[in-house]
């Protein structure tokens, strides 16, 4: 039954995020063509402002797509779980765990896809900049030169590898934690009578503040033991990221069980 729920949820949510990411990719190409503008080869007035305007639109589109998809998925979760649509949702012959997981996994997937879309769009923008502004070098030559510089600087050493692994784990943990912050906040907010939306927003900021304070408090001892040693800077960053990852996962798991309990025992559809 969980598979059917996930299939239905995916069909219900794929259109808007796909359109937003598609528009972002198209805008990245259009913005990339700004590097072919005559402004780079002449003193024509006005063209420089036009190019800057195009870049600003692209920059705000990067932010807008991430926020837009997050808000869309949050609103979808709220509407299908705690409004009139929730009456139908909660009559399905499934457990609260199955219902919650069917909502969480697509939210996480779209957050990951949105992040990937942003990375690809920035890569397209940067790649077109290289193509138009450095015509004497191919894009592959620039990439190879970048890898050569990384190797010279020792960025492929085991210390940097550990840093990269900890960063990857942190990204995955934050993806899970970020999704559960939204789900948990809305689940808590739905208990606030007729002010569910305000309750959800307040719960989000309250939970986020407590979590950030907790992570900072835990990270302080490591920072003070490493602050006087430049040799330990990467160890400090790596350790901090591992601590943040573990803390984020623990918070996310806690919010999951809290949300499941509230949905199962304290559901308020008024």
């Amino acid at each position: 039954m969980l598979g059917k729920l996930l299939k239905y949820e995916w069909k219900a949510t794929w259109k808007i995020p796909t359109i937003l990411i598609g528009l972002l990719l198209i805008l990245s190409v259009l913005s990339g063509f700004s590097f072919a503008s005559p402004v780079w080869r002449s003193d024509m007035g006005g063209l420089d402002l036009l190019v800057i305007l195009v870049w600003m639109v692209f920059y705000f589109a990067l932010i807008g797509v991430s926020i837009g998809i997050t808000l869309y998925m949050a609103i979808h979760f709220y509407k299908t779980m705690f409004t009139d649509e929730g009456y139908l949702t909660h009559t399905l012959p499934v457990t609260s765990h199955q219902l919650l997981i069917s909502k969480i996994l697509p939210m996480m997937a779209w957050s990951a896809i949105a992040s990937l879309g942003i990375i690809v769009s920035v890569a397209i923008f940067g790649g077109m900049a290289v193509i138009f502004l450095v015509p004497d070098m191919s894009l592959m030559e620039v990439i190879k030169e970048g890898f050569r510089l990384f190797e010279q600087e020792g960025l492929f050493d085991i210390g940097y590898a550990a840093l990269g692994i900890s960063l990857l784990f942190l990204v995955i943990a934050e993806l899970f934690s970020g999704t559960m912050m939204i789900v948990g906040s809305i689940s808590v907010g739905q208990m606030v009578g007729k002010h569910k939306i305000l309750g959800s927003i307040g719960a989000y900021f309250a939970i986020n503040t407590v979590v950030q304070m907790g992570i900072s408090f835990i990270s302080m001892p490591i920072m003070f033991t490493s602050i006087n040693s430049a040799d330990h800077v990467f160890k400090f960053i790596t350790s901090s990221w591992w601590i943040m990852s573990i803390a984020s996962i623990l918070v996310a798991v806690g919010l999951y069980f809290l949300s499941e309990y509230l949905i199962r025992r304290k559901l308020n559809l008024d």
Side-chain angles (χ1 to χ4, degrees), residues 78 82-83 186 188-200 268-270:
Y78 171 76
F82 304 115
T83 64
I186 295 175
V188 172
Q190 59 93 23
M191 300 178 62
V192 189
K194 296 181 179 180
H195 303 283
K196 297 178 182 178
I197 296 178
L198 289 177
S200 300
N268 177 20
L269 297 178
D270 294 338

Side-chain angles (χ1 to χ4, degrees), residues 129-142:
V130 172
I131 292 172
F132 289 118
L133 299 181
V134 193
D136 297 334
M137 293 183 66
S138 68
L139 184 59
M140 287 304 300
E141 289 175 336
V142 173

Side-chain angles (χ1 to χ4, degrees), residues 16-202:
I16 298 299
T18 301
I19 292 173
L20 291 176
I21 294 172
L23 290 175
L24 178 62
L25 293 175
I26 293 172
L27 185 58
S28 70
V29 174
L30 296 177
S31 300
F33 276 115
S34 66
F35 293 105
S37 169
V39 70
W40 304 103
R41 299 180 296 275
S42 68
D43 297 326
M44 298 176 63
L47 281 178
D48 52 348
L49 294 177
L50 181 60
V51 169
I52 292 174
L53 178 61
V54 170
W55 290 353
M56 289 181 62
V57 170
F58 177 59
Y59 172 75
F60 285 114
L62 291 173
I63 300 174
V65 165
S66 177
I67 296 176
I69 291 177
T70 300
L71 286 176
Y72 172 74
M73 297 303 296
I75 292 171
H76 175 78
F77 175 76
Y78 171 76
K79 288 179 62 178
T80 56
M81 293 290 287
F82 304 115
T83 64
D84 292 342
E85 293 183 33
Y87 286 101
L88 177 61
T89 301
H90 294 288
T91 58
L92 295 173
V94 295
T95 65
S96 55
H97 285 289
Q98 290 175 324
L99 190 58
L100 195 55
I101 291 173
S102 71
K103 301 292 183 181
I104 292 171
L105 291 182
M107 291 178 70
M108 290 180 60
W110 278 117
S111 294
I113 294 171
S115 299
L116 181 61
I118 290 172
I119 293 172
V120 171
S121 64
V122 171
I124 292 173
F125 181 77
M128 294 183 71
V130 172
I131 292 172
F132 289 118
L133 299 181
V134 193
D136 297 334
M137 293 183 66
S138 68
L139 184 59
M140 287 304 300
E141 289 175 336
V142 173
I143 294 174
K144 289 180 181 179
E145 182 66 17
F147 274 100
R148 187 182 67 80
L149 291 175
F150 285 164
E151 188 174 4
Q152 287 181 347
E153 295 296 328
L155 297 184
F156 295 121
D157 292 345
I158 188 168
Y160 289 95
L163 186 69
I165 293 172
S166 65
L167 176 59
L168 177 61
F169 194 81
L170 176 62
V171 170
I172 296 173
E174 288 293 328
L175 184 64
F176 181 34
S177 176
T179 299
M180 287 313 307
M181 288 278 287
I182 295 173
V183 171
S185 299
I186 295 175
S187 299
V188 172
Q190 59 93 23
M191 300 178 62
V192 189
K194 296 181 179 180
H195 303 283
K196 297 178 182 178
I197 296 178
L198 289 177
S200 300
I201 295 173

Side-chain angles (χ1 to χ4, degrees), residues 213-234:
M213 290 177 61
I215 292 176
S216 298
F217 179 77
I218 295 173
S219 300
M220 282 295 179
I222 297 179
M223 182 180 70
F224 285 126
T225 57
S226 306
I227 197 169
N228 294 323
S229 176
D231 295 336
H232 294 146
V233 62
F234 288 111

